[in-house]
Amino acid sequence: MIFLQIRWDYNTMLKKGRRREDVFNDLQKFKKMDMSYSSGRILGSMCTDPDSVGLEAYKMFIDTNLGDSGHFKGTATMEAEVISSLGRLLHLDKAYGHIVTGGTEANLMAMTVAKYLFEEQHDTMPELILPKSAHFSFKKICSMLSVKPVYVDLDCDYRMDVSQLEGLITENTMAIVAIAGSTELGLVDKIDEISEIAFSNDIYLHVDAALGGFIIPFLNNENNNKYNIDFGCKGVTSMTIDPHKMGLAPVPSGGIIFRHRHHLEKLSVKTPYLTKDKQTTIVGTRTGASTAATWTLLNYYGIEGYQKIVNDVLKLTKYTYNKLQKNQQIKLVCKPELNIISFTIDDMDVDIIKNKLTKMGWSLSIAEYPHAIRLVIMPHVKKEHIDLFINDLNQSLQEY
Ligand code: 0PR
């Protein structure tokens, strides 16, 4: 009903402007239709409430356009500093890249560079080797770039089965993708082993750390030493790392980092009439607000601040895992490595359970492989939300 009412008002708006107050009343109605992260009910999202300090910076730089960065030298300087900080976080002394709209665009930039490099030496159809756990953005990218995806099976731990990798490499292999924090299960591929194979075969390796990039570097030392996911592995060519996931920056904030300047330069296009003579991004006009928010958050929280955010989230993930484990009917797919927990339920259809919980006001997602309910524990989720959720889950299992 509200929707129809608003549509009707829009029609009148086209002829004649409306009072500010009336417009904002309608905005409130739209806002009420949205879910809020602060309700704690969104348990299937990798995004979260943007941090208020980052948001302040975002608003301050809302008018900036890094597509014509000569007008916004301060914002451009911030972007260079952010890329340099993210590079150092990922064990790269000199990094080249950009703050972009998200993981999809970052992955697209990396794959475009890999394709250009491939085309310098081949005129055959390029192949991209990637694990079955790769994010669906790679499906879009393969389709857009006319690249043939070659999927690697997952091992019994749901990570890329590295033993298959070498056998899939052909002279048409354009690149390999590995994942640090898979979308469905939050698992980390054996990047160091994959890097060795990529390096010895001289193949471009892109690590999609859209999620894990803002988690793994901040794990406590014992866990941190367990993972070599980044440019510390000599075969890693580029990485995606998204501030708008665990970095707490507002959407849209993604990050792409290249090891070599000449790789980023492959994207370079001359821009004759702008304040700068070239762009190395896919999009033209692009906000500097995401850069400002990310710069601010990196400076405001520092490593210790992010360590605390990550530690709190992982503690709550463990708490949730332990609570779920107490119910004999629930089968946890794997021990969480990061902040994602997936589970199936004995003799029950997870879609039916998910629908019941949706009616109770929870927003959950379903993993495809294996078919399971998937919880993403982000900073907007608190212990009291988990306790309520587990009660509702147990109730819906009893009523099944
Ligand atoms: N790479 C990985 C590993 C991802 O998990 C994602 C998105 C991407 C790349 C693409 O990132 P962008 O969506 O920023 O382009 N992962 C989330 C997902 O598909 C995105 C998301 C976020 C979905 C919030 C829902 C949501 O409410 O699950």
Side-chain angles (χ1 to χ4, degrees):
M1 283 309 274
I2 291 175
F3 192 59
L4 285 177
Q5 178 69 38
I6 292 169
R7 294 302 284 217
W8 173 252
D9 286 349
Y10 267 153
N11 288 337
T12 53
M13 183 200 78
L14 291 177
K15 293 183 208 121
K16 204 168 162 236
R18 296 169 61 206
R19 289 186 336 144
R20 187 179 194 277
E21 198 187 324
D22 294 342
V23 173
F24 274 83
N25 280 340
D26 280 356
L27 287 182
Q28 289 300 341
K29 289 182 202 158
F30 283 123
K31 193 74 192 160
K32 273 198 193 134
M33 290 158 76
D34 288 352
M35 289 188 82
S36 69
Y37 291 110
S38 59
S39 68
R41 296 257 157 188
I42 302 181
L43 296 180
S45 171
M46 271 186 200
C47 292
T48 191
D49 250 337
D51 181 276
S52 59
V53 178
L55 206 52
E56 205 178 318
Y58 191 94
K59 288 180 190 155
M60 196 171 156
F61 287 82
I62 197 79
D63 57 338
T64 59
N65 168 20
L66 283 175
D68 198 6
S69 59
H71 293 140
F72 305 103
K73 293 202 172 92
T75 315
T77 306
M78 269 194 289
E79 188 183 39
E81 288 193 23
V82 167
I83 295 305
S84 167
S85 300
L86 293 181
R88 281 200 301 274
L89 197 64
L90 302 172
H91 298 107
L92 186 62
D93 286 340
K94 190 99 188 69
Y96 305 92
H98 286 292
I99 292 299
V100 295
T101 53
T104 303
E105 190 185 342
N107 289 338
L108 175 60
M109 285 172 74
M111 294 301 97
T112 305
V113 169
K115 192 180 179 204
Y116 288 164
L117 292 166
F118 178 86
E119 284 171 345
E120 285 170 4
Q121 300 190 356
H122 305 77
D123 51 14
T124 48
M125 177 151 185
E127 295 174 1
L128 174 64
I129 302 181
L130 71 176
K132 284 190 170 153
S133 52
H135 185 255
F136 57 76
S137 51
F138 287 101
K139 286 198 178 132
K140 302 180 188 176
I141 293 165
C142 285
S143 158
M144 282 190 281
L145 299 182
S146 298
V147 167
K148 182 180 162 203
V150 176
Y151 286 102
V152 191
D153 289 328
L154 304 186
D155 62 16
C156 57
D157 293 328
Y158 301 102
R159 293 188 184 86
M160 181 201 283
D161 183 351
V162 183
S163 69
Q164 288 188 7
L165 189 55
E166 217 129 27
L168 295 171
I169 295 173
T170 70
E171 58 187 19
N172 294 328
T173 302
M174 166 194 102
I176 299 170
V177 165
I179 318 290
S182 60
T183 307
E184 297 206 327
L185 298 173
L187 297 177
V188 184
D189 283 335
K190 295 169 194 142
I191 313 277
D192 42 4
E193 291 177 28
I194 299 166
S195 158
E196 286 297 324
I197 295 173
F199 190 80
S200 59
N201 286 279
D202 196 18
I203 293 173
Y204 189 113
L205 172 61
H206 176 67
V207 175
D208 181 354
L211 173 68
F214 262 93
I215 301 181
I216 295 165
F218 304 118
L219 295 174
N220 62 38
N221 278 342
E222 184 194 322
N223 281 332
N224 198 352
N225 291 339
K226 211 169 86 184
Y227 297 110
N228 293 316
I229 61 147
D230 57 31
F231 294 99
C233 304
K234 59 181 189 255
V236 174
T237 319
S238 56
M239 290 188 73
T240 291
I241 170 172
D242 280 356
H244 73 196
K245 295 188 168 80
M246 199 59 86
L248 311 189
V251 175
S253 307
I256 178 69
I257 310 285
F258 292 94
R259 184 190 287 273
H260 304 294
R261 180 200 287 273
H262 68 271
H263 284 171
L264 177 62
E265 286 300 325
K266 290 276 163 226
L267 296 172
S268 178
V269 169
K270 284 206 169 94
T271 51
Y273 54 86
L274 301 187
T275 53
K276 289 271 164 188
D277 57 5
K278 63 172 188 193
Q279 282 182 356
T280 45
T281 45
I282 289 175
V283 295
T285 303
R286 62 190 179 99
T287 182
S290 308
T291 286
T294 306
W295 185 94
T296 302
L297 290 166
L298 290 173
N299 278 273
Y300 179 70
Y301 281 113
I303 293 190
E304 286 180 6
Y306 275 112
Q307 279 172 339
K308 182 172 177 346
I309 292 161
V310 165
N311 191 35
D312 287 351
V313 159
L314 294 191
K315 251 186 165 154
L316 188 59
T317 307
K318 202 167 178 192
Y319 173 83
T320 313
Y321 179 82
N322 289 340
K323 278 210 118 179
L324 289 167
Q325 231 181 3
K326 290 206 175 100
N327 187 328
Q328 303 289 318
Q329 291 169 288
I330 292 175
K331 294 282 164 287
L332 290 135
V333 172
C334 58
K335 211 161 180 224
E337 275 191 290
L338 304 181
N339 60 329
I340 302 183
I341 304 176
S342 289
F343 59 94
T344 55
I345 302 147
D346 270 349
D347 305 323
M348 290 188 204
D349 181 337
V350 287
D351 293 295
I352 294 178
I353 299 294
K354 185 209 162 198
N355 290 342
K356 279 181 177 234
L357 286 160
T358 304
K359 285 195 187 120
M360 292 164 118
W362 298 100
S363 171
L364 307 170
S365 54
I366 296 277
E368 201 180 13
Y369 181 70
H371 196 70
I373 294 179
R374 161 185 178 264
L375 306 178
V376 187
I377 310 296
M378 292 299 289
H380 62 270
V381 182
K382 308 290 175 212
K383 187 169 166 286
E384 57 268 27
H385 305 131
I386 294 299
D387 290 341
L388 277 174
F389 170 72
I390 304 264
N391 280 345
D392 284 356
L393 173 65
N394 288 339
Q395 189 191 320
S396 56
L397 297 191
Q398 274 166 20
E399 289 167 0
Y400 187 81

